[in-house]
Amino acid sequence: MPEMRMIEAVRAAMSEEMERDERVLVMGEDVGRKGGVFGATDGLYAKFGEARVLDTPLAESGIVGVAIGAALNGLIPIAEIQFADFIHPAFDQIVSEAARTRYRSNGDWSVPLVIRAPFGGGVHGGLYHSQSIEAFYAHVPGLKVVVPSMPADAKGLLKSAIRDPDPVLFLEHKKVYRLVAEEVPDGDHLVPIGPALVRREGTRLSCFAWGLMTHYCLQAAEELAAGGISVEVVDLRSLAPLDRDTILESVRKTGKAMIVHEDNLTGGFGAEVAAIISEHAFDSLDGPVVRVAGPDIPAMPFNTPQEEFFMPNPAKIAEAMRKLAAY
Amino acid sequence: MTARAHDDGPPEHRLLALYHTMVMARAIERRLWVLEHLEQIPPHQPLGPPRDSAGVAKARVGMDSFVCTGLEAVQVAAAAALRPGRDWIVPCPTDLALCLAVGLSPLDVMLAVFGRASDPASGGRQSPGAFGSRAARVVMTSATAGRHVVQAAGIAYASKLLGHDEVTLVCTDERSIQSGDWHEGINFAGAHSLPLIFLIEDRARTDGPVAQHSYGSPVDRAEGYGLAGESIDGSDFDTALAAFGRATERARSQGGGTVIHALAVDLTSKVAGGGLRPPEELEALARQDPIDRTRRRLLEAGVLHAADDEQIQRDCATVVAAAVEEARAAPSPDGPRALDNVFSRG
């Protein structure tokens, strides 16, 4: 098995699926000759040609709208939104169109479509290259929202997304692209969309996260382990559908729950996880359900002190873990 | 130009069938107007739907989202140039005659109007006017202005990439061409020389807010984006048929897309900005009625005879009445079935 970083795993998934199925194409701003601003589509243009590795106008509603139409007519598009911050002009195409097509036609039409979008902060991206957008979309029935945190998962989940008959929003954290490398299985490595994964077993509290925050939670858990506090870290991987069973099983074991996300606190996806725990594992709780999240300010500032103020990090998370463990 | 069986045009039986469809569309709409006045509940009614003596809620009839009247000729002309089931149609809510012409039935329309479980387009989920049939390649669209235009560009791109001999027709009213998605769609079509026809069904209902006015003709815009464009008299069946013939030929010969700006008349009594038209204005407009104009030409050309026309009118009235009764009697979907078809499984 080759060792890959997430960016390479994403590229491998697309390349393999395009080889396997001629209906698969990628499209977006600069995905062709340039190979994408992060290099996710590097080499695909030379391999598959401009018709299947399509540079689009800089118009996100158009990118997703064209992809929807192509899907209606038998293709399997992977639409790249260059930065998740720029996805908002396509909100209506995603929410009112792609996610609703099967429903409004009572099953007559469907939109097999993957929308990939690099997201997240901590890279000095400023207000418009740092956003976390998952909560907007995980709210929408008819749309799947997947957020891998590790290279092997990125490949397996993306291949599953491409083969999924329904629209999938696939969020790739920019800072994770080159953060870690791990062995990634060759060939038809498929990770089903839905199940969460317990990344670290623990007994004193459960910590739920996705994307970059999974890594930070694991680092914080390691720090707490040195002090004798055992923390379970659950990588949700998919926010829609959400693996409620794994969440509840973990909380029933540890009795304490924490959700960590870098999206701002209010109305973030952590609120939904907290509500599920409160509603279905209340009797097992031995402390308040805690959220560690970005502050409620419009977006992540560019300057270093304020970016650091915004981002949850292992130290902040470890502090919150200690406080909850001691409750 | 007169409506008759040209060597290169539709044969007489096809012309009569197209005329029949125009009459049918008008008959359906007239019937819906009556039904609406008889049965529709105001959306703000606080006490819920009216109920019969047994306490059963009366059917809600909704139709005010689509008004085809005045557009029948251009719509059936478009259908005549396309190959049903092979070419793609991405309609807007006014396209009743177009959808009838490519295979939707009056009963299909009425089942949707009554929101019935057997509505083949959406099982009673979408508001009336959201036509759709995968088998007929009529794409079900939403109620948002212009979103479907850029989707149509994607459909046409797929046809080109897959090497399929298919043409896509996408329709909007005159207001939706202000939307960003219309421009993004036409830009993409021009850039890739797609086999796509943009029909603008313009009834000039823009005498209201200044914001609705266009400064510059849609044809100029089409040319700016690298497409062909022409403005036509959308009330004239022959003119429309010829325009769609040119556009489909261009599309099929890899010549790219066309914008057809069809100017038609608004024959309804309501003024877009509010109020009603005076009777003398309505009478003047009625002389532009596309169905009457088509009828006169078919009569003059000897394709249609007065007695046949009367029979067509009676047939349509009968079919529509039967469709209304069948749809009225059809069962509504069960409430919990609202959970179906969110995803492919479940």
Side-chain angles (χ1 to χ4, degrees), chain A residues 51 54 59 61-62 65-66 69-70 72-73 75 92-93 97 102-109 142-143 165-166, chain B residues 88 121-122 125-126 134 138 140 142 144 147 150-151 154-155 157 159 161 166 181 184 192 338 340-344:
Chain A
L54 179 64
S61 183
V66 165
L72 292 172
N73 193 3
L75 295 179
D92 201 43
Q93 288 285 1
E97 305 289 330
R102 181 183 297 281
Y103 190 77
R104 73 187 183 207
S105 66
N106 205 20
D108 198 23
W109 296 93
L143 181 67
D166 294 308
Chain B
W88 292 78
S122 82
R125 288 177 171 183
Q126 279 259 61
R134 190 168 176 78
V138 177
M140 167 158 285
S142 66
T144 53
R147 299 291 177 271
V150 73
Q151 294 167 16
I155 291 171
Y157 184 78
S159 298
L161 180 62
E166 299 164 353
D181 286 71
E184 292 183 27
H192 293 279
D340 293 354
N341 284 312
V342 177
F343 290 105
S344 61

Side-chain angles (χ1 to χ4, degrees), chain A residues 207-271:
Chain A
C207 187
F208 303 99
W210 51 94
L212 176 65
M213 292 301 118
T214 305
H215 295 273
Y216 286 181
C217 289
L218 287 167
Q219 289 175 37
E222 186 70 26
E223 191 181 322
L224 263 73
I229 301 172
S230 169
V231 175
E232 181 148 303
V233 177
V234 181
D235 181 359
L236 294 183
R237 302 196 292 188
S238 164
L239 305 185
L242 181 64
D243 185 352
R244 292 172 170 226
D245 291 345
T246 297
I247 293 169
L248 295 172
E249 189 180 327
S250 180
V251 173
R252 286 174 184 138
K253 181 174 76 173
T254 66
K256 289 178 178 172
M258 171 185 290
I259 306 107
V260 181
H261 58 69
E262 65 180 87
D263 190 9
N264 57 287
L265 180 75
T266 302
F269 194 73

Side-chain angles (χ1 to χ4, degrees), chain B residues 20-345:
Chain B
H20 189 282
T21 300
M22 294 166 67
V23 175
M24 182 68 81
R26 185 70 63 88
I28 288 172
E29 197 168 330
R30 289 290 179 270
R31 185 64 190 147
L32 289 177
W33 290 358
V34 174
L35 284 172
E36 185 189 40
H37 282 288
L38 290 177
E39 302 186 39
Q40 190 182 29
I41 53 171
H44 57 271
Q45 187 173 34
L47 300 177
R51 294 175 183 274
D52 63 18
S53 55
V56 177
K58 285 186 178 178
R60 176 174 180 180
V61 177
M63 52 65 63
D64 53 3
S65 60
F66 66 96
V67 176
C68 177
T69 294
L71 298 169
E72 296 90 346
V74 72
Q75 290 183 12
V76 301
L82 298 172
R83 298 160 296 186
R86 180 169 181 176
D87 293 323
W88 292 78
I89 293 167
V90 190
C92 65
T94 58
D95 288 322
L96 171 62
L98 171 61
C99 292
L100 291 173
V102 296
L104 274 72
S105 74
L107 179 59
D108 294 340
V109 175
M110 290 302 172
L111 288 168
V113 163
F114 282 87
R116 297 313 195 203
S118 51
D119 158 27
S122 82
R125 288 177 171 183
Q126 279 259 61
S127 302
F131 307 107
S133 164
R134 190 168 176 78
R137 289 197 166 174
V138 177
V139 177
M140 167 158 285
T141 58
S142 66
T144 53
R147 299 291 177 271
H148 62 302
V149 176
V150 73
Q151 294 167 16
I155 291 171
Y157 184 78
S159 298
K160 186 172 180 179
L161 180 62
L162 295 166
H164 293 169
D165 172 23
E166 299 164 353
V167 176
T168 298
L169 169 71
V170 59
C171 310
T172 67
D173 65 10
E174 73 278 7
R175 296 169 298 185
S176 296
I177 67 170
Q178 312 287 352
S179 76
D181 286 71
W182 188 84
H183 289 269
E184 292 183 27
I186 193 171
N187 180 45
F188 190 86
H192 293 279
S193 194
L194 298 180
L196 185 54
I197 302 170
F198 298 82
L199 170 61
I200 304 164
E201 303 177 63
D202 186 350
R203 283 179 293 195
R205 296 176 301 167
T206 51
D207 48 348
V210 170
Q212 296 287 0
H213 284 283
S214 295
Y215 300 98
S217 83
V219 170
D220 291 342
R221 294 178 184 198
E223 290 169 355
Y225 284 114
L227 282 80
E230 57 180 305
S231 275
I232 62 168
D233 177 355
S235 300
D236 187 301
F237 173 79
D238 289 320
T239 300
L241 190 63
F244 282 103
R246 289 188 289 275
T248 51
E249 172 58 26
R250 184 176 297 116
R252 288 175 189 139
S253 60
Q254 285 82 50
T258 305
V259 170
I260 296 179
H261 177 212
L263 289 154
V265 287
D266 183 3
L267 298 170
T268 58
S269 56
K270 287 182 183 172
V271 179
L276 296 173
R277 294 179 206 285
E280 56 273 20
E281 185 181 334
L282 279 173
E283 279 180 30
L285 286 170
R287 285 194 285 277
Q288 297 297 313
D289 186 325
I291 297 182
D292 290 344
R293 287 174 67 178
T294 306
R295 178 188 300 113
R296 287 196 295 272
R297 292 185 177 189
L298 291 173
L299 288 168
E300 287 167 10
V303 175
L304 178 70
H305 303 288
D308 299 334
D309 184 39
E310 287 169 15
Q311 187 62 43
I312 287 172
Q313 306 282 345
R314 280 196 300 272
D315 286 349
C316 288
T318 303
V319 167
V320 171
V324 168
E325 290 317 307
E326 187 170 344
R328 195 199 304 274
S332 293
D334 294 334
R337 298 299 296 271
L339 298 172
D340 293 354
N341 284 312
V342 177
F343 290 105
S344 61
R345 289 173 286 275

Side-chain angles (χ1 to χ4, degrees), chain A residues 292-311:
Chain A
V292 176
D296 285 329
I297 56 177
M300 197 176 302
F302 168 71
N303 70 78
T304 300
Q306 291 182 345
E307 184 186 70
E308 288 180 352
F309 176 81
F310 190 106
M311 287 288 288

